[in-house]
Amino acid sequence: MKPIQTRSFIGLIAIVILFIVINAVSAPIFRIFRLDLTQEHIYSLSDGTKTLVKNLAEPVKLKYYFSATDSNDYPVLKNYGERVQDLLSGYARLSKQIELEIVDPRPDSEEAEWAEKYGLSGIQLPGGFVLYCGLVVANETGKEETIAFFDPKREEFLEYDISRLISSVSNPNKIKVGIYSPLPLEGVMKNPYMRQQTEGSDPWYFLNELKQLYDMEILRELSPIPPEINLLILIHPKQLSETDQYAVDQYILSGKSALILVDPFCEGDASEGQNPMMMGGARDSELPPTFTKAGIEMPKGKIILDRDLATQVQTQNGEVFNYYVWLNLTSAQTNKSDAITGKLESLHIPYSGFFMMKDQAKKDLVIEPLLSSSSTASIGDSSLLLFGGSPERITQSYSPGIEKLPIAVRVTGKLKTAFPAGKPKAGEKTENPGLKEEEKNKTQPEDTSPHLSESMKPVHVVLVADVDFISNRFSLNVANFMGNVLINPINDNLNFFFNSLESLSGSASLNAIRSRGKFARPFTRVKEIEKHAESRWLEEEKSLNQRVEEINTRIQAIMQQQDANKALTDTAIVDELQKFRNEKAETQKKLRTVRKNLRQEKEELGTQLFLINTFLVPFLILLYGLRVMILRGRHV
Amino acid sequence: MSVLKAIYKREMGSYFGTPIAYVFMVIFVFLTGIFTFKIAGFYENGQADLRAFFFWHPWIYLFLAPSVSMRLWAEERKSGTLELLLSLPVKPSTAVIAKFLAAWTFIAVNLLLTFPLVLTVMYLGDPDMGVILAGYMGSFFMAGAYIAIGSSFSAASKNQIVSFIMTVVSCLSLILIGYTPFIKFFSGVFPDFILEQMRNLSFIAHFDSIQKGVLDLRDLIFFASLIACGLYASLVILEEKKSE
């Protein structure tokens, strides 16, 4: 008997060991076999990321600093931190080129010091401790980029943010940006000899930032566009010659990105000799024909009038009016699922145009609105802005519209050339006012690239129907403090501009990463109940609160009288005081009832659902069981 | 196959033939309701998911699964029918699998009876049904693993209480082994590699992952291997008892 027992014992031990071995071995082998059952596939990486990661030429190291141990008391951060970790593990699973290191920086540890050195930020705890949840992405040559803190509010863009960093570290060459504009972006010196142009103008601030972020070149002319440019910015392209239009056409069809800002009325366009108060067609610019031919247009001389987004303006006389042509966009007018506009909250767009898309354009291209007007905007003539744009005239010509007008759009897809006959014969070139004499005389190399009749790769362009929004006046507050110039953004205008560039400069795979679904799925029914209760009771609560305030004021007034008289002898006053006190108690009682009512419906539903799930269902099971037992008893 | 079916049917009959089965179901649904609503604050959280419900499953099974599994073999041995069963031309492995499947089905029925909770969450909001489905699958696999472990202890002991306690202790170890405070406690004693392996053997780690909505092959291998090992252990013990 004994030998059998020993054998069984050995057998059982072997089973336990087998179990441990199977799981130890399967962990690294089967890590890529997983099925994401979530509706929006929130645990799966998008195709864009997969392409990006699989094409990595050299190893990339991801160092994820997450205070897993110390964040137990902060469930939101803890959950989100784990979610980020899951996603990062997904990256590491995709390719051996990605090495993921997870660091749990404890207070006063070497890891925490490193996190600080990397510039990661986090939640400050009492005692100077910091809860970290940030990422350092580094390549082999030591180039590093960081996400200082994973903000749970940016959850939809989590994958985009991480992929963008990996893409940026693995493609260390700076993007070459070419910018063309007839506007004096670099500023105009004050000319003491000319009477008309007395003011001069400051350089547009966004240029400074552009120089820091990208390898920027100001293009004096458009034909040809230097081949090394891979992101073209056209600001207010007006009256472009055919040759220039052709150059832009061929550039776009080559699949390189472009950001094009056009305007039916550009305030900053005060060309030499032009009366700034007079403006007709001279202050507008137009979309390159490549787009108009494809069916995307910005109606000439038409601007948006929007009562719901109007800016309140005060005149020098102190008069306040709503200016329907200066639009204040909030997050309600931005595309929340696009990485460019997803987190923008306030934009100020003056004298904005809009885009119209023909059915053909909608069929051939993917056109996503990024910014739009409110749904009650109407269309006005830019001639309304003549002689300073009288607010009365503008207000009078407004009549509520019925649909949102797109102000900025992202265009992707296939385009055809606007020059089917090929390169137009060399005609007069558009003269750029900023061009210096020696540059004018410089001969440009002849463009020998073959003619493209349609786009080689999907095009990727962002079009905006306004230019002034990036001017200093509408985007910044410049203050002079003790001799230092302090520049503060006053809205998200420049964020929109730079987000667009960032998105356009990303690889195609990066742009394929759409914003992701959110974890949060609130109880919509409960929210409805709360809303309903609020609409029913909030008004009453407000009026009761007001009544209590009034009574308090009355009581206070009587008490002050009493103080003055020292002794309260007048019975009439005593009675009145008592009356008010009684009324106050009564009102407060009513208020309590109203507040209870506000919560009641919601709480009642909770209780009902609890009772159904916890008592009613077991009770029904019990009844069924009894029935079965009784029937069986009878049968027996 | 027909033998397996016959034993399975006999077992199912014995579950639903007694009032205890219904009492068990009542307790299961009642307890999950209390835990979900009152302890995990399902309604107050305001989120249309069943995380508050599934969170407690490893702990609810800790006591309910052993009370199902403890009688798998212990009862047969106590009443002397085990010898009879094993003397029939039935392969012990068939008997082990049939009994396990019956017990697993019984737990599955219990799990299905919590469907009003799914209706509740659908009524309240727009839940991710994929995540809920994954949660149920994870819970079902985990229940199978508990039952398989319980089956081996039931085979090993004539006493149902001993079998119950041994199962609870074993399953509790498999929960705690991946529990963060527990891992932290051992972090100075064992190297990281061992700690990682310990975590990898825990119910919590694997159930959590499935419950989030991701069916990972490694999690399925974990539960399947645990079920297979539990059943094989039952077989080894039964073979030994048979030869006694």
Short mmCIF file of all heavy atoms in Angstrom, two decimals, chain B residues 40-66:
data_model
loop_
_atom_site.label_atom_id
_atom_site.label_comp_id
_atom_site.label_asym_id
_atom_site.label_seq_id
_atom_site.Cartn_x
_atom_site.Cartn_y
_atom_site.Cartn_z
N ALA B 40 -20.11 47.36 -3.30
CA ALA B 40 -19.31 47.97 -4.37
C ALA B 40 -19.93 49.27 -4.88
O ALA B 40 -19.32 49.96 -5.69
CB ALA B 40 -19.15 46.98 -5.52
N GLY B 41 -21.14 49.63 -4.39
CA GLY B 41 -21.77 50.90 -4.77
C GLY B 41 -22.05 51.01 -6.27
O GLY B 41 -21.76 52.04 -6.89
N PHE B 42 -22.62 49.96 -6.84
CA PHE B 42 -22.90 49.92 -8.28
C PHE B 42 -23.71 51.13 -8.74
O PHE B 42 -23.35 51.80 -9.71
CB PHE B 42 -23.65 48.61 -8.60
CG PHE B 42 -24.37 48.59 -9.91
CD1 PHE B 42 -23.66 48.44 -11.09
CD2 PHE B 42 -25.75 48.70 -9.98
CE1 PHE B 42 -24.33 48.41 -12.31
CE2 PHE B 42 -26.42 48.68 -11.19
CZ PHE B 42 -25.70 48.53 -12.36
N TYR B 43 -24.80 51.43 -8.04
CA TYR B 43 -25.69 52.51 -8.49
C TYR B 43 -25.05 53.88 -8.29
O TYR B 43 -25.14 54.75 -9.14
CB TYR B 43 -27.02 52.41 -7.73
CG TYR B 43 -28.09 53.33 -8.27
CD1 TYR B 43 -28.67 53.08 -9.50
CD2 TYR B 43 -28.51 54.44 -7.55
CE1 TYR B 43 -29.64 53.91 -10.02
CE2 TYR B 43 -29.49 55.29 -8.06
CZ TYR B 43 -30.05 55.01 -9.29
OH TYR B 43 -31.01 55.85 -9.80
N GLU B 44 -24.35 54.04 -7.18
CA GLU B 44 -23.73 55.33 -6.87
C GLU B 44 -22.58 55.64 -7.83
O GLU B 44 -22.32 56.80 -8.15
CB GLU B 44 -23.22 55.37 -5.42
CG GLU B 44 -24.30 55.40 -4.35
CD GLU B 44 -25.04 54.07 -4.19
OE1 GLU B 44 -24.49 53.04 -4.63
OE2 GLU B 44 -26.15 54.06 -3.65
N ASN B 45 -21.88 54.60 -8.29
CA ASN B 45 -20.77 54.82 -9.21
C ASN B 45 -21.24 55.47 -10.51
O ASN B 45 -20.49 56.18 -11.17
CB ASN B 45 -20.07 53.51 -9.58
CG ASN B 45 -19.32 52.93 -8.41
OD1 ASN B 45 -19.12 53.61 -7.42
ND2 ASN B 45 -18.92 51.68 -8.53
N GLY B 46 -22.48 55.15 -10.89
CA GLY B 46 -23.06 55.80 -12.07
C GLY B 46 -22.45 55.35 -13.39
O GLY B 46 -22.59 56.03 -14.39
N GLN B 47 -21.76 54.22 -13.41
CA GLN B 47 -21.14 53.75 -14.65
C GLN B 47 -21.86 52.52 -15.18
O GLN B 47 -22.06 51.54 -14.44
CB GLN B 47 -19.67 53.39 -14.41
CG GLN B 47 -18.76 54.59 -14.24
CD GLN B 47 -18.74 55.47 -15.48
OE1 GLN B 47 -18.64 54.98 -16.60
NE2 GLN B 47 -18.88 56.77 -15.27
N ALA B 48 -22.21 52.58 -16.46
CA ALA B 48 -22.95 51.46 -17.05
C ALA B 48 -22.01 50.31 -17.39
O ALA B 48 -21.74 50.02 -18.55
CB ALA B 48 -23.70 51.94 -18.28
N ASP B 49 -21.47 49.67 -16.37
CA ASP B 49 -20.70 48.44 -16.58
C ASP B 49 -20.94 47.52 -15.38
O ASP B 49 -21.60 47.92 -14.43
CB ASP B 49 -19.20 48.74 -16.75
CG ASP B 49 -18.61 49.47 -15.56
OD1 ASP B 49 -18.93 49.09 -14.41
OD2 ASP B 49 -17.83 50.41 -15.75
N LEU B 50 -20.43 46.31 -15.45
CA LEU B 50 -20.68 45.37 -14.34
C LEU B 50 -19.40 45.09 -13.55
O LEU B 50 -19.25 44.02 -12.96
CB LEU B 50 -21.29 44.08 -14.87
CG LEU B 50 -22.75 44.19 -15.33
CD1 LEU B 50 -23.29 42.85 -15.78
CD2 LEU B 50 -23.64 44.71 -14.19
N ARG B 51 -18.50 46.08 -13.53
CA ARG B 51 -17.25 45.86 -12.78
C ARG B 51 -17.54 45.60 -11.31
O ARG B 51 -16.91 44.76 -10.69
CB ARG B 51 -16.33 47.08 -12.92
CG ARG B 51 -15.36 46.91 -14.07
CD ARG B 51 -14.40 48.06 -14.13
NE ARG B 51 -14.92 49.12 -14.98
CZ ARG B 51 -14.21 50.17 -15.37
NH1 ARG B 51 -12.98 50.33 -14.94
NH2 ARG B 51 -14.72 51.08 -16.15
N ALA B 52 -18.52 46.35 -10.77
CA ALA B 52 -18.85 46.19 -9.35
C ALA B 52 -19.38 44.79 -9.07
O ALA B 52 -19.21 44.25 -7.97
CB ALA B 52 -19.91 47.22 -8.96
N PHE B 53 -19.97 44.18 -10.07
CA PHE B 53 -20.56 42.84 -9.92
C PHE B 53 -19.45 41.78 -10.01
O PHE B 53 -19.31 40.93 -9.13
CB PHE B 53 -21.60 42.67 -11.03
CG PHE B 53 -22.08 41.27 -11.28
CD1 PHE B 53 -22.82 40.59 -10.33
CD2 PHE B 53 -21.83 40.65 -12.50
CE1 PHE B 53 -23.29 39.31 -10.59
CE2 PHE B 53 -22.29 39.38 -12.77
CZ PHE B 53 -23.02 38.70 -11.80
N PHE B 54 -18.63 41.86 -11.05
CA PHE B 54 -17.61 40.83 -11.24
C PHE B 54 -16.48 40.91 -10.22
O PHE B 54 -15.83 39.92 -9.94
CB PHE B 54 -17.03 40.91 -12.65
CG PHE B 54 -17.99 40.47 -13.71
CD1 PHE B 54 -18.44 41.33 -14.69
CD2 PHE B 54 -18.50 39.17 -13.70
CE1 PHE B 54 -19.34 40.92 -15.66
CE2 PHE B 54 -19.41 38.75 -14.66
CZ PHE B 54 -19.83 39.63 -15.64
N PHE B 55 -16.26 42.11 -9.68
CA PHE B 55 -15.16 42.30 -8.75
C PHE B 55 -15.20 41.28 -7.61
O PHE B 55 -14.18 40.79 -7.15
CB PHE B 55 -15.21 43.72 -8.18
CG PHE B 55 -14.13 43.99 -7.19
CD1 PHE B 55 -12.84 44.29 -7.62
CD2 PHE B 55 -14.37 43.93 -5.81
CE1 PHE B 55 -11.82 44.52 -6.71
CE2 PHE B 55 -13.36 44.16 -4.90
CZ PHE B 55 -12.08 44.46 -5.35
N TRP B 56 -16.42 40.93 -7.16
CA TRP B 56 -16.55 40.06 -5.99
C TRP B 56 -16.56 38.58 -6.32
O TRP B 56 -16.58 37.75 -5.42
CB TRP B 56 -17.84 40.42 -5.23
CG TRP B 56 -17.75 41.81 -4.70
CD1 TRP B 56 -18.34 42.93 -5.22
CD2 TRP B 56 -16.98 42.26 -3.59
NE1 TRP B 56 -17.99 44.03 -4.51
CE2 TRP B 56 -17.16 43.65 -3.50
CE3 TRP B 56 -16.16 41.61 -2.65
CZ2 TRP B 56 -16.55 44.41 -2.52
CZ3 TRP B 56 -15.55 42.37 -1.68
CH2 TRP B 56 -15.75 43.75 -1.62
N HIS B 57 -16.59 38.25 -7.59
CA HIS B 57 -16.73 36.84 -7.94
C HIS B 57 -15.65 35.92 -7.37
O HIS B 57 -15.98 34.85 -6.86
CB HIS B 57 -16.87 36.67 -9.46
CG HIS B 57 -18.25 37.00 -9.92
ND1 HIS B 57 -18.83 36.46 -11.03
CD2 HIS B 57 -19.18 37.82 -9.38
CE1 HIS B 57 -20.05 36.95 -11.15
NE2 HIS B 57 -20.28 37.78 -10.18
N PRO B 58 -14.36 36.30 -7.43
CA PRO B 58 -13.37 35.40 -6.85
C PRO B 58 -13.66 35.10 -5.37
O PRO B 58 -13.42 34.00 -4.89
CB PRO B 58 -12.05 36.17 -6.99
CG PRO B 58 -12.28 37.15 -8.07
CD PRO B 58 -13.73 37.49 -8.02
N TRP B 59 -14.22 36.10 -4.67
CA TRP B 59 -14.47 35.94 -3.23
C TRP B 59 -15.77 35.17 -2.98
O TRP B 59 -15.86 34.39 -2.04
CB TRP B 59 -14.52 37.30 -2.55
CG TRP B 59 -13.23 38.05 -2.78
CD1 TRP B 59 -13.00 38.98 -3.76
CD2 TRP B 59 -11.99 37.87 -2.10
NE1 TRP B 59 -11.71 39.40 -3.71
CE2 TRP B 59 -11.06 38.75 -2.70
CE3 TRP B 59 -11.57 37.08 -1.03
CZ2 TRP B 59 -9.75 38.84 -2.28
CZ3 TRP B 59 -10.25 37.18 -0.61
CH2 TRP B 59 -9.36 38.05 -1.22
N ILE B 60 -16.77 35.41 -3.83
CA ILE B 60 -18.04 34.68 -3.65
C ILE B 60 -17.83 33.20 -3.96
O ILE B 60 -18.26 32.32 -3.20
CB ILE B 60 -19.14 35.30 -4.54
CG1 ILE B 60 -19.50 36.69 -4.01
CG2 ILE B 60 -20.39 34.42 -4.55
CD1 ILE B 60 -20.49 37.46 -4.86
N TYR B 61 -17.09 32.93 -5.03
CA TYR B 61 -16.81 31.54 -5.39
C TYR B 61 -15.98 30.84 -4.32
O TYR B 61 -16.05 29.63 -4.16
CB TYR B 61 -16.04 31.46 -6.71
CG TYR B 61 -16.88 31.73 -7.92
CD1 TYR B 61 -16.34 32.38 -9.03
CD2 TYR B 61 -18.21 31.35 -7.99
CE1 TYR B 61 -17.10 32.64 -10.15
CE2 TYR B 61 -18.98 31.61 -9.12
CZ TYR B 61 -18.42 32.25 -10.19
OH TYR B 61 -19.18 32.51 -11.29
N LEU B 62 -15.18 31.63 -3.62
CA LEU B 62 -14.29 31.04 -2.61
C LEU B 62 -15.07 30.18 -1.62
O LEU B 62 -14.57 29.18 -1.12
CB LEU B 62 -13.55 32.18 -1.90
CG LEU B 62 -12.46 31.79 -0.92
CD1 LEU B 62 -11.38 30.97 -1.62
CD2 LEU B 62 -11.84 33.03 -0.31
N PHE B 63 -16.30 30.59 -1.34
CA PHE B 63 -17.10 29.81 -0.39
C PHE B 63 -18.19 28.98 -1.06
O PHE B 63 -18.52 27.90 -0.60
CB PHE B 63 -17.70 30.72 0.69
CG PHE B 63 -16.63 31.33 1.53
CD1 PHE B 63 -16.15 32.60 1.27
CD2 PHE B 63 -16.04 30.59 2.56
CE1 PHE B 63 -15.11 33.14 2.02
CE2 PHE B 63 -15.01 31.13 3.31
CZ PHE B 63 -14.54 32.40 3.04
N LEU B 64 -18.71 29.51 -2.16
CA LEU B 64 -19.82 28.79 -2.79
C LEU B 64 -19.35 27.60 -3.63
O LEU B 64 -19.97 26.53 -3.60
CB LEU B 64 -20.68 29.74 -3.61
CG LEU B 64 -21.45 30.77 -2.78
CD1 LEU B 64 -22.35 31.62 -3.66
CD2 LEU B 64 -22.30 30.09 -1.71
N ALA B 65 -18.23 27.78 -4.34
CA ALA B 65 -17.78 26.66 -5.18
C ALA B 65 -17.37 25.44 -4.35
O ALA B 65 -17.78 24.31 -4.68
CB ALA B 65 -16.65 27.12 -6.10
N PRO B 66 -16.61 25.63 -3.27
CA PRO B 66 -16.27 24.44 -2.46
C PRO B 66 -17.50 23.75 -1.88
O PRO B 66 -17.51 22.54 -1.71
CB PRO B 66 -15.39 25.00 -1.35
CG PRO B 66 -14.84 26.26 -1.90
CD PRO B 66 -15.88 26.81 -2.80
#
